[in-house]
């Protein structure tokens, strides 16, 4: 078993691989020029001649370009040092050389992946990437579909858009069946089979017993409609056209919320999601006309995972249609992993006991690539024993001092990753744990026929889709229009050099989980820091991370005043370890850089109190302040432990905390004395 050597994949914290990078960068440009010259090579036209290059205006222009790029370099140097293990802030580390080189070289060709005509090379790469991602999640790449978009926000919007339009399909089907009968376009004897084959429901139930509201709760099993085929027994000459026209007339894309021109708005229902959700879902509900008030936030447990027991209770008591349930794999703030396997079982139970179903979406924008850890070289999901053996034997995850006790993954994390294959749609961002430059988000659909629920063909871009070639018309099935083929080239290249299993991405991401657990342990065991006779400060870690984000706070010993705790944590986060948006050039003087977040009662209910009571803060105090200021460290660097570098950056961070707290003792004392 061999693993990729990821040190060959990045420029390196000190630019160690710059020679290789430069050589390939130049070669990419040279190759492009060769390609240009080969196009009508016999043409003698002189476009930019040597004489042209001697002109003052030409030289002035070049100088201006050069100087502006020099200015840009200065501006860029005020960026965050993502490449360093000292950067433990947001979801960033440096991006893969192969991906940047691919992006650069593809951008010379400037392909537009909205349609094949504008991206004859890179559309095909995007389709391959879609299949890579489907394989990553254990979804059949023939039945499913995946594509790249600009990010997780767009992918989440697209998923809810699909869910919304799919929700309406049983109602469309019911109406079509009724119309068939009324217009006598169907033999009544053919109907039971037909209805049954489409919906798996008894036809009389479908036709008579379901009110428009109830029918919306049926699982959308009417994909046969999309294939636009009616059984032979249906006696109607132009049935294909009839179906298409009727469907197009009745579907959500045409009808909107005013079904059948009624003035009553159709209620497509509510969306359930954990309190730890990303705010993109609020944007999506607004844009899709579904209204933010129809989001139902499910409380999370003390591990920041969606509480499935509460969800069950909510779903079984829900009177409105359930449009979707969303799970998060790698929450933005905590990297927590929701128990997808339990939500899948819950969906089965709800279908069986209540005849209701819902679209299951997973927001794995952050945690999606971590599924590579669970796959062997044949892309098979490993047994728990096999996985633990590999993590331990190859030193990927585990306390260095005690490699034998590999406590990751927990059963919950393991089962959840296994169950991802059962979701209807999944958001996954290559520009997060895929180590690809922005913009590269992604979405996969378990069943590619769902695309039909959102399709829109523009003849000038797409032409009429050929029967066997619909896949190349990417833009007709997605939310976005023009989009960089260069992003597809970057992701495709990265996937070809870094396998999407334990030997590639798995190992790299595993090392970051290892680093995050080392940080968790290092902070938990940090001794209180005494900064003056009566002032001692202690750091507290919130929960053991499911993946690689660690949350912690600082407090004065014996302090039970939450406002004071928040002020201290905010001060340390912003003044000691935080980027200063005004004086960004000072950032490179920071010893470590972290990010912050706040856990409010409005968003998290009383879950933060579970933690606060352990450190002596009362419920009354929590209810008064309703907010917990937290430092958040996303560990995307594999260099935190000494596995690949001779210095221990967790140790460095620990000693820096001690030193910096003492250095800032005057300001800290002021916070201490405030009421
Ligand atoms: C869980 C999750 N979902 C969605 C998003 C949105 O992704 P993007 O910023 O690429 O739009 C994020 C961003 O951090 C995220 O953490």
């Amino acid at each position: 078993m061999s693993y990729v050597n990821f040190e060959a994949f990045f420029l390196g914290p000190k630019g160690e691989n710059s020679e290789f990078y430069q050589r390939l960068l130049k070669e990419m440009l040279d190759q492009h020029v060769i390609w240009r010259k080969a196009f009508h090579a016999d043409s003698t036209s002189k476009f930019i001649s040597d004489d042209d290059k001697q002109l003052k205006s030409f030289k002035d222009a070049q100088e201006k370009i050069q100087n502006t790029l020099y200015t840009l370099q200065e501006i860029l140097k005020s960026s965050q040092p993502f490449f360093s293990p000292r950067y433990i802030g947001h979801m960033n580390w440096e991006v893969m050389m192969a991906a940047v080189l691919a992006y650069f070289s593809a951008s010379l060709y400037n392909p537009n992946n909205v349609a094949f005509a504008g991206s004859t090379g890179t559309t095909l790469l995007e389709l391959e990437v879609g299949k890579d991602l489907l394989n990553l999640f254990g979804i059949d790449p023939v039945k499913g579909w995946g594509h790249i978009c600009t990010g997780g926000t767009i992918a989440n919007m697209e998923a809810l858009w699909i869910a919304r339009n799919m929700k309406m399909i049983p109602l469309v089907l019911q109406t079509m069946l009724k119309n068939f009968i009324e217009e006598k376009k169907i033999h009544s004897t053919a109907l039971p089979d037909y209805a049954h084959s489409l919906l798996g429901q008894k036809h009389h139930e479908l036709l008579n017993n379901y009110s428009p509201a109830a029918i919306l709760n049926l699982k959308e099993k009417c994909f046969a409609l999309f294939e636009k085929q009616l059984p032979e027994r249906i006696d109607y000459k132009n049935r294909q056209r009839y179906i298409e026209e009727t469907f197009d007339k009745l579907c959500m894309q045409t009808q909107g919320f005013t079904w059948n021109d009624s003035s009553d708005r159709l209620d497509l229902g509510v969306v359930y999601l954990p309190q730890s959700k990303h705010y993109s879902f609020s944007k999506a509900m607004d844009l899709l006309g579904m209204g933010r008030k129809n989001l139902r936030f499910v409380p999370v447990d003390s591990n920041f995972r969606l509480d499935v027991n509460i969800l069950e209770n909510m779903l079984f008591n829900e009177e409105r249609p359930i449009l979707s349930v969303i799970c998060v794999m790698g929450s933005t703030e905590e990297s927590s992993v929701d128990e997808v396997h339990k939500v899948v079982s819950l969906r089965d139970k709800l279908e069986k006991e209540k005849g209701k179903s819902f679209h299951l979406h997973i927001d794995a924008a952050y945690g999606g690539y971590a599924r590579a850890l669970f796959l062997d070289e044949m892309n098979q999901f490993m047994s728990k024993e096999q996985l633990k053996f590999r993590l331990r034997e190859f030193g990927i995850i585990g306390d260095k001092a005690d490699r034998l006790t590999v406590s990751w993954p927990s059963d919950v994390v393991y089962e959840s990753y296994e169950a991802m294959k059962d979701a209807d749609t999944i958001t996954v961002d290559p520009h997060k744990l895929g180590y690809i430059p922005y913009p590269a988000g992604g979405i996969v659909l378990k069943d590619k026929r769902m695309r039909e629920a959102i399709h829109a063909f523009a003849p000038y871009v797409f032409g009429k889709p050929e029967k066997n070639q619909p896949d190349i018309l990417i833009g007709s099935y997605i939310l976005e229009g023009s989009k960089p083929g260069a992003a597809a080239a970057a992701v495709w290249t990265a996937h070809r050099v870094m396998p999407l299993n334990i030997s590639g991405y798995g190992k790299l991401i595993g090392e970051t989980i290892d680093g995050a657990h080392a940080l968790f342990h290092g902070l938990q065991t940090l001794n209180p820091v005494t900064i003056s006779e009566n002032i001692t400060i202690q750091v507290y870690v919130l929960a053991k991370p499911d993946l690689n984000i660690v949350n912690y706070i600082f407090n004065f010993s014996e302090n039970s005043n939450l406002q004071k705790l928040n002020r201290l944590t905010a001060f340390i986060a912003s003044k000691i370890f935080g980027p200063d948006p005004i004086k960004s050039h000072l950032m490179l003087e920071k010893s470590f850089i972290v990010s912050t977040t706040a856990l409010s009662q409005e968003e998290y209910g009383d879950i933060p109190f579970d933690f606060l009571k352990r450190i002596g803060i009362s419920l009354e105090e929590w209810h008064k302040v309703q907010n917990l200021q937290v430092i958040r460290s996303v560990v995307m660097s594999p260099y935190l432990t000494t596995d690949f570098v001779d210095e221990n950056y967790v140790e460095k961070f620990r000693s820096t905390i001690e030193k910096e707290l003492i250095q800032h003792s005057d300001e800290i004392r002021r916070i201490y004395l405030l009421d």
Side-chain angles (χ1 to χ4, degrees), residues 91 151-153 156 278 280 328 330 332 363 365-366 429 431-432:
M91 293 169 168
T153 301
N156 284 338
H278 187 260
S280 48
V328 183
T332 312
D363 180 2
Y366 187 64
D429 281 354
H431 68 203
K432 294 191 171 72

Side-chain angles (χ1 to χ4, degrees), residues 513-526 539-545 549-552 635 640 650 654:
I513 294 174
D514 196 32
H517 283 76
L519 179 63
F520 169 80
H521 186 69
L523 291 174
Q524 240 188 357
T525 53
L526 185 69
V539 59
Y540 298 92
V541 194
L542 265 69
K544 195 167 185 177
I549 303 181
V550 187
N551 287 308
Y552 43 101
V635 180
L640 250 67
V650 170
R654 279 162 52 103

Side-chain angles (χ1 to χ4, degrees), residues 198-219:
L198 292 182
L199 275 170
Q201 297 290 331
K202 285 188 192 123
H203 76 284
H204 65 267
E205 262 187 73
L206 174 71
L207 284 168
N208 305 318
N209 293 0
Y210 283 98
S211 64
I215 202 166
L216 292 174
N217 268 320
L218 291 176
K219 182 70 184 161

